[in-house]
Amino acid sequence: MSGPGALEPLDQAIVRELSADGRRSFTDLAERVGLSVSAVHQRVRRLEQRGVIRGYTTRLDGEQIGLPLTALISLTPNDPAAPDDYPQRLEHITEIESCYSVAGDESYILLVRVASPLALEDLLRRIREAARVSTRTTVVLSTPFEGRTPPL
Amino acid sequence: MSGPGALEPLDQAIVRELSADGRRSFTDLAERVGLSVSAVHQRVRRLEQRGVIRGYTTRLDGEQIGLPLTALISLTPNDPAAPDDYPQRLEHITEIESCYSVAGDESYILLVRVASPLALEDLLRRIREAARVSTRTTVVLSTPFEGRTPPL
DNA sequence: AGTGAAATACTCAGTTA
DNA sequence: TAACTGAGTATTTCACT
């Protein structure tokens, strides 16, 4: 089992490069990590298969794509005895970018992006109805930085 | 000014595709959005230049890269009269993946990834020292989903 | 992990609507 | 202004060493 804890130095380097620029070419990667193109290619494919690399995304400017309002929403179950299927109940709500199950006063924290305060109000209503929860919302005023490369 | 609010349908489609898979080829994109390869190429370059597309990243499995512990940290300034240069003071701390300035009781919320509880303890000490803040930490137990494609 | 070669894809002219 | 065509490069991908 090549489980958690560590990544080989070469895989580490590859993952770091791809994290910094997900569209880096194999040729480019090969030069940076000091391997042949095909060796890098093989390692990337293996990292994808192992699930170390879960996929590739694009960092978008919320304002420019028409979703200028970001918020963090804490969820508290209305019925503490209800089965914990909240993620399933929330999955279909596309405004929810991320869903974290957390320790502490609340059960879940969601990160959402919407077009306007009105859209946020509607989203909150849908979340409460879908998951039978009460919500506490923290509006994001600005995002100094986001999605930086992890310390590998 | 091609400001916020909306994106042309074609750009929208391109951005949606790239958000779902940041390594999609121009050829692939062209087919999906119904344009020639060079037209897509040009639009993507323009989206990058306009800052709609901020860059490309890789979704990584925290466990497998040796950073199994995620936490959300709320920051409250020790000296409310101090100048607000917190992001600058925190920028060099690479464990901080995202930094949000928020409305509400706290000033900032950070998303961090570390290797262990001990590493979290050390990180909190460094954050408090660097930014002169007190912290409230919420540990993430699991992540049902994260970084999903926004509703374009 | 590396080599080499075939298949794809990228990129940039110049051209057209 | 935006998109297309085509041709030369570059990259990806795979069988083999």
Side-chain angles (χ1 to χ4, degrees), chain A:
Chain A
M1 163 165 51
S2 63
L7 225 48
E8 272 187 80
L10 279 170
D11 285 339
Q12 215 170 84
I14 289 170
V15 161
R16 183 169 43 237
E17 292 299 332
L18 281 176
S19 179
D21 179 358
R23 277 185 86 83
R24 208 145 263 172
S25 72
F26 291 107
T27 310
D28 194 350
L29 287 174
E31 281 176 15
R32 289 169 185 263
V33 308
L35 281 178
S36 70
V37 174
S38 66
V40 170
H41 190 262
Q42 204 170 42
R43 277 175 183 267
V44 171
R45 290 289 171 259
R46 214 198 299 284
L47 288 165
E48 288 169 354
Q49 283 190 326
R50 280 202 286 155
V52 178
I53 292 176
R54 293 248 258 260
Y56 304 91
T57 359
T58 298
R59 281 193 289 258
L60 299 171
D61 183 313
E63 313 254 336
Q64 297 212 57
I65 60 171
L67 300 171
L69 181 48
T70 301
L72 292 157
I73 305 176
S74 307
L75 266 42
T76 308
N78 286 339
D79 174 5
D84 186 343
D85 57 352
Y86 301 98
Q88 275 192 331
R89 288 172 170 280
L90 297 169
E91 207 171 20
H92 72 278
I93 304 178
T94 58
E95 289 93 336
I96 307 175
E97 186 174 299
S98 304
C99 171
Y100 301 100
S101 165
V102 299
D105 294 337
E106 288 103 2
S107 296
Y108 289 90
I109 294 179
L110 310 178
L111 191 147
V112 308
R113 292 191 204 279
V114 291
S116 67
L118 226 59
L120 179 56
E121 180 177 36
D122 182 63
L123 172 60
L124 287 168
R125 187 188 51 70
R126 281 182 286 136
I127 288 172
R128 284 192 289 254
E129 284 185 10
R132 309 300 175 103
V133 292
S134 53
T135 60
R136 193 175 68 86
T137 301
T138 302
V139 171
V140 172
L141 301 172
S142 72
T143 304
F145 49 85
E146 191 175 29
R148 299 199 304 179
T149 296
L152 293 162

